[in-house]
């Protein structure tokens, strides 16, 4: 854009021609305009770069805080704001320990100039007083003369890795508990076999004395019960790979109910079975799947101390990937207390005086080995329904989709021995 030359102070440029002077002035004005344009462009570029830097800073997974040479906060990225619950406006220009302190060490960050990065793990206090485990890394940025220009504080959230450590410590404890029980179970088995043989011999000796016979038969049945418990231990500690064969789930249910019929009737439990006309054929280990059914039905029966209704249903979910068959075992029993719900699949968790707390953990393990999952709903005083989801075809594309809140299978998967 040309300007009127009178806008500019006159220059004492030696010239022969006044027209030439005007030309020079015009040229100068254009150059100034050009410089102005370049300045605006540079300003825009600077803004863009600043925006880019902020977006990088705000999108890195670590919290970043920059300090001036006095240790005051000049920049804090979004991640750090979320971790510490302070906004940059609240801590701008304040000493770093305003935002970054721990109960044990209120002056967590060192103030001196440091040549090498300084790292510390600490429980850092957030604005609301809660604590967050962080790895705090700190280093000084020096200028050419070795003078500190800024300090960078990098914060890494250790919540997840803390959880994992606790989880794996728990698994280790459970695993050594499993080994211990295996050892004890082995030791108990042999004397038990001896006791059973002796009791049988005694049975023959006592002849026709009815009371003595009754006592001996009780001893034998208690020994058999102990043996059953030991078997549960073994199948828990050394799970077998399922031997899959084509199988009709409803037939397995009928077999299990047939065996438990007498006991169910005695306890005043009515059984209802709802099977659709066509249940897809499944690939199952029949022995293992019967064990699951036994565990679920016995649990249901035990939950209905004063009788009730046991409903066993089978349905298909063709929308699921892969399509699945859902077996449900519902009782009208006492229900599961909310505080127990996250634990019922844990090995050795029981609320029963004579329970081992292995039924559900073994069942869950078996169902998982079939590519399936378990879930449940429960209402205290009304009853509980367990669902066993089994894939119709062996899943080849990884694990089946994850289920909702009520699923405890996931929970168990990370806790199992
Ligand atoms: N249908 C149910 N109704 C109410 N509570 C249940 C039901 N099924 C399971 N539970 C709860 O879950 C706990 C764990 O069940 P699990 O079958 O694993 O062990 P258990 O029945 O106690 O002992 P066992 O090893 O003899 O099966 C039970 O002690 C009980 O508190
Ligand atoms: Mg049980």
């Amino acid at each position: 854009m040309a300007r009127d030359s009178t806008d500019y102070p006159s220059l004492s440029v030696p010239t022969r021609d006044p027209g030439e002077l005007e030309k020079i002035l015009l040229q100068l004005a254009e150059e100034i305009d050009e410089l102005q344009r370049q300045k605006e462009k540079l300003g825009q570029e600077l803004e863009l770069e600043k925006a880019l830097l902020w977006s990088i800073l705000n999108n890195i997974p670590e919290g970043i805080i920059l300090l001036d040479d006095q240790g005051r906060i000049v920049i804090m990225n979004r991640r750090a704001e979320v971790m510490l619950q302070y906004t940059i406006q609240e801590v701008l220009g304040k000493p770093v320990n305003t935002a970054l302190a721990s109960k044990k060490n209120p002056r967590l960050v060192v103030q001196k100039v440091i040549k090498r990065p300084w790292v510390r793990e600490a429980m850092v206090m957030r604005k609301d007083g809660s604590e967050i485990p962080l790895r705090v890394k700190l280093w000084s940025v020096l200028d050419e003369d070795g003078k500190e220009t800024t300090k960078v504080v990098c914060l890494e959230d250790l919540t997840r890795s803390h959880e994992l450590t606790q989880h794996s410590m728990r698994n280790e404890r459970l695993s050594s508990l499993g080994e211990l029980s295996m050892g004890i179970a082995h030791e108990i088995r042999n004397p038990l076999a001896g006791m059973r043989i002796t009791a049988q011999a005694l049975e023959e000796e006592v002849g026709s004395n009815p009371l003595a016979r009754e006592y001996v038969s009780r001893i034998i049945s208690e020994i058999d019960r102990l043996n059953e418990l030991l078997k549960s231990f073994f199948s828990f500690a050394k799970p077998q790979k399922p031997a899959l064969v084509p199988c009709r789930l409803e037939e397995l249910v009928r077999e299990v109910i047939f065996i438990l019929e007498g006991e169910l009737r005695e306890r005043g439990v009515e059984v209802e079975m709802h099977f659709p006309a066509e249940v897809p054929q499944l690939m199952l280990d029949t022995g293992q799947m019967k064990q699951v059914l036994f565990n679920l039905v016995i649990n249901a029966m035990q939950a209905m101390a004063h009788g009730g209704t046991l409903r066993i249903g089978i349905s298909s979910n063709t929308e699921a990937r892969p399509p699945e068959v859902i077996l449900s075992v519902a009782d009208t029993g006492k229900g599961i207390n909310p505080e127990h719900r996250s634990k019922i699949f844990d090995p050795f968790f029981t609320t029963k005086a004579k329970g081992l707390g292995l039924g559900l953990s073994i069942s869950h393990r078996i169902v998982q080995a079939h590519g399936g999952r378990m879930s449940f709903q429960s209402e205290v005083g009304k009853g509980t329904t367990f669902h066993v989801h089994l894939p119709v075809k062996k899943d080849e594309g990884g694990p089946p989709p994850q289920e909702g809140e009520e699923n405890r299978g996931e929970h168990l998967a990370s806790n199992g021995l």
Side-chain angles (χ1 to χ4, degrees):
M1 177 183 65
R3 286 176 194 239
D4 189 335
S5 56
T6 54
D7 283 355
Y8 301 98
S10 58
L11 300 168
S12 59
V13 181
T15 174
R16 274 158 269 139
D17 181 356
E20 199 176 335
L21 181 63
E22 195 175 340
K23 231 162 106 190
I24 289 170
L25 284 175
L26 276 173
Q27 213 174 336
L28 261 176
E30 269 169 25
E31 271 169 26
I32 288 171
D33 272 345
E34 180 56 27
L35 280 174
Q36 191 70 27
R37 272 196 296 275
Q38 276 180 15
K39 190 180 150 206
E40 274 167 21
K41 200 167 153 232
L42 277 175
Q44 280 168 0
E45 279 173 8
L46 207 66
E47 280 304 313
L48 276 177
E49 269 176 25
K50 219 165 119 188
L52 182 69
L53 278 177
W54 266 112
S55 120
I56 292 171
L57 210 56
N58 280 333
N59 282 294
I60 53 177
E62 279 83 25
I64 299 286
I65 302 176
L66 295 192
L67 312 177
D68 64 13
D69 55 356
Q70 302 296 308
R72 287 177 303 228
I73 298 171
V74 283
I75 283 177
M76 179 152 98
N77 73 348
R78 205 168 295 144
R79 190 77 190 97
E81 286 184 324
V82 173
M83 283 177 187
L84 305 171
Q85 297 179 336
Y86 285 101
T87 62
I88 175 72
Q89 287 80 14
E90 287 172 312
V91 291
L92 191 69
K94 298 204 174 138
V96 60
N97 289 318
T98 317
L100 208 63
S102 88
K103 278 185 188 151
K104 280 194 192 148
N105 181 3
R107 302 180 68 78
L108 184 67
V109 174
V110 292
Q111 293 296 335
K112 60 179 193 278
V113 177
I114 36 181
K115 295 274 180 317
R116 267 177 285 148
W118 173 96
V119 187
R120 178 148 306 176
E121 285 181 15
M123 292 302 289
V124 171
M125 218 156 51
R126 310 164 93 186
K127 189 180 161 191
D128 71 353
S130 62
E131 288 184 304
I132 177 171
L134 294 181
R135 178 174 294 127
V136 182
K137 211 183 215 181
L138 182 78
W139 63 93
S140 296
V141 179
L142 309 178
D143 65 13
E144 283 171 3
D145 305 325
K147 193 173 168 293
E148 184 182 63
T149 53
T150 179
K151 241 192 211 91
V152 183
V153 184
C154 175
L155 306 172
E156 190 186 336
D157 187 350
L158 299 178
T159 309
R160 182 86 188 110
S161 80
H162 266 220
E163 279 170 6
L164 286 175
T165 315
Q166 276 167 6
H167 239 89
S168 83
M169 273 161 57
R170 181 152 186 255
N171 275 353
E172 266 171 36
R173 277 206 306 276
L174 285 172
S175 162
S176 43
L177 193 59
E179 274 167 31
L180 188 72
S181 11
M182 270 286 270
I184 295 172
H186 270 294
E187 289 306 311
I188 294 174
R189 223 176 190 186
N190 295 339
L192 263 190
M195 280 162 76
R196 198 177 196 284
I197 292 168
T198 317
Q200 275 173 326
L202 189 64
E203 199 175 27
E204 282 165 23
E205 287 299 315
V206 294
S208 57
N209 180 340
L211 200 57
R213 285 191 80 84
E214 170 64 23
Y215 287 152
V216 176
S217 102
R218 266 197 227 165
I219 293 173
I220 293 175
S221 77
E222 288 301 294
I223 291 173
D224 287 344
R225 207 168 75 84
L226 272 176
N227 260 323
E228 281 306 308
L229 294 185
L230 289 182
K231 261 200 236 159
S232 299
F233 260 130
F234 289 128
S235 63
F236 178 72
K238 274 201 169 163
Q240 298 290 312
K241 210 172 166 242
L244 302 176
V245 291
C247 163
R248 300 236 159 256
L249 189 57
E250 67 275 31
E251 280 167 20
L252 293 190
V253 175
R254 284 201 182 95
E255 270 182 57
V256 168
I257 293 301
F258 179 75
I259 296 169
L260 293 173
E261 212 169 31
E263 209 172 336
L264 285 161
R265 203 178 317 116
E266 249 174 52
R267 289 172 178 249
V269 175
E270 237 180 80
V271 182
E272 288 178 12
M273 290 190 261
H274 303 277
F275 304 146
E278 290 219 354
V279 182
Q281 184 172 270
L282 296 168
M283 295 298 288
L284 302 174
D285 181 312
T286 52
Q288 290 188 358
M289 203 43 72
K290 269 199 252 177
Q291 202 182 344
V292 173
L293 285 164
F294 269 115
N295 288 336
L296 293 180
V297 173
I298 289 172
N299 276 350
M301 190 166 72
Q302 289 169 341
M304 296 185 280
H306 308 293
T309 309
L310 171 72
R311 290 187 185 87
I312 305 184
I314 295 180
S315 61
S316 295
N317 180 3
T318 49
E319 301 293 306
R321 287 287 159 266
E324 56 185 21
V325 162
I326 304 162
L327 166 85
S328 55
V329 178
D331 63 59
T332 54
K334 59 182 179 178
I336 303 172
N337 281 341
E339 67 268 27
H340 293 157
R341 288 181 193 164
S342 62
K343 301 184 192 135
I344 61 162
F345 287 98
D346 283 359
F348 309 114
F349 175 80
T350 184
T351 55
K352 299 170 193 170
K354 288 188 175 176
L356 275 184
L358 285 179
L360 284 179
S361 55
I362 291 174
S363 303
H364 173 260
R365 205 179 241 193
I366 291 175
V367 172
Q368 263 203 331
H370 281 76
R373 62 194 169 95
M374 286 179 79
S375 59
F376 71 93
Q377 290 135 7
S378 188
E379 208 175 320
V380 174
K382 292 225 165 141
T384 305
T385 304
F386 277 88
H387 299 286
V388 178
H389 303 247
L390 293 163
V392 174
K393 269 190 206 156
K394 194 84 190 84
D395 182 19
E396 286 158 3
Q402 293 302 302
E403 60 272 35
E405 236 298 282
E406 86 275 15
N407 170 43
R408 302 290 158 216
E410 267 283 276
H411 173 83
L412 176 74
S414 53
N415 287 340
L417 290 182

